[in-house]
Amino acid sequence: MSRGRLWRQGVSQLSAWLPALLMMLFALGSWWLVRNAPKFAAPDSAQAASKDPDYHMREFSVRSFDPSGRLKSEIIGAEGLHYPATDTLEVQQPRIRSHDAKGHPTVATAQRAWSNHDGSELQLFGDARVVREAITASSPRLEFRGEHLHAFVDEDRVRSDQPVELRRGTAVFTGNTFSYDDRGGVAELTGRVRGVLQPRR
């Protein structure tokens, strides 16, 4: 067999094996890169599970907006602690203002409050008050008072497993436990329930 024909056969076989050789080269290169890439330390599991706050605020304000940019709620406090394990905010002397879909404000105050990450769920402790000013004659001023109030802002609900005073216009009601659904306009008081209805002037 001539030397030229052997050369052509060798080139032909090399061409057939070239893609496989290149793939093997790329695989080896990738393996080398992965092996020699810098290693990033895994987060400390003890730190990730820590119940200690990760930051502290004084005289602060936190605002929450909906996807269209409308202000949903604002939390103002004298002091705030954020807990990463639960993504909650503890606030001292809070003043919380939220707005419904029509822009009507509701204001909540207390000695202390807990809020979830987006302000849609609030727990108020110590001289807690939630007030919605009158909207129309058929929707008079509404106020809840108690030592503990649990508010679900997006659902327009407030509840408590402790005694609460409910004021609607001039009417005053008290009960041992309480729940209120603003969308349905239904308040439920249980336990020792008392009510005082004032005649309209």
Side-chain angles (χ1 to χ4, degrees):
M1 186 178 292
S2 67
R3 190 175 291 180
R5 189 171 179 185
L6 282 173
W7 172 256
R8 285 194 298 273
Q9 282 184 352
V11 171
S12 177
Q13 287 181 0
L14 183 61
S15 299
W17 282 96
L18 191 59
L21 288 170
L22 287 174
M23 290 298 292
M24 189 184 302
L25 218 67
F26 286 138
L28 284 171
S30 300
W31 174 82
W32 182 86
L33 282 173
V34 169
R35 183 170 180 171
N36 292 285
K39 303 292 190 296
F40 295 99
D44 186 355
S45 57
Q47 183 180 359
S50 173
K51 294 182 180 179
D52 296 330
D54 59 348
Y55 63 82
H56 176 268
M57 300 178 287
R58 289 185 184 275
E59 303 297 335
F60 71 96
S61 171
V62 176
R63 294 181 177 183
S64 175
F65 299 86
D66 67 12
S68 67
R70 182 180 63 86
L71 178 65
K72 283 176 57 180
S73 63
E74 180 180 24
I75 301 175
I76 300 171
E79 188 176 5
L81 296 171
H82 179 262
Y83 294 87
T86 54
D87 198 10
T88 55
L89 186 66
E90 180 183 7
V91 184
Q92 300 296 329
Q93 300 177 22
R95 179 178 175 83
I96 303 158
R97 187 179 182 92
S98 63
H99 300 264
D100 64 16
K102 296 181 179 178
H104 302 134
T106 298
V107 177
T109 57
Q111 293 176 7
R112 183 170 61 92
W114 282 85
S115 169
N116 65 343
H117 70 284
D118 63 355
S120 61
E121 186 176 340
L122 305 166
Q123 292 198 57
L124 308 170
F125 303 92
D127 193 23
R129 295 188 182 191
V130 176
V131 179
R132 188 198 67 197
E133 295 298 337
I135 299 172
T136 63
S138 60
S139 299
R141 185 179 190 271
L142 192 61
E143 180 177 356
F144 310 115
R145 298 181 182 181
E147 286 303 304
H148 175 230
L149 295 173
H150 194 165
F152 300 86
V153 177
D154 291 344
E155 301 172 22
D156 297 325
R157 291 191 300 118
V158 181
R159 72 182 185 193
S160 179
D161 57 0
Q162 297 183 26
V164 170
E165 179 181 280
L166 163 61
R167 294 173 174 261
R168 186 178 187 274
T170 57
V172 181
F173 301 91
T174 57
N176 288 354
T177 64
F178 157 82
S179 67
Y180 176 75
D181 181 354
D182 189 58
R183 294 178 183 178
V186 176
E188 182 178 346
L189 294 161
T190 60
R192 297 184 61 184
V193 179
R194 296 181 180 179
V196 177
L197 298 173
Q198 299 285 351
R200 292 184 180 179
R201 295 180 181 178

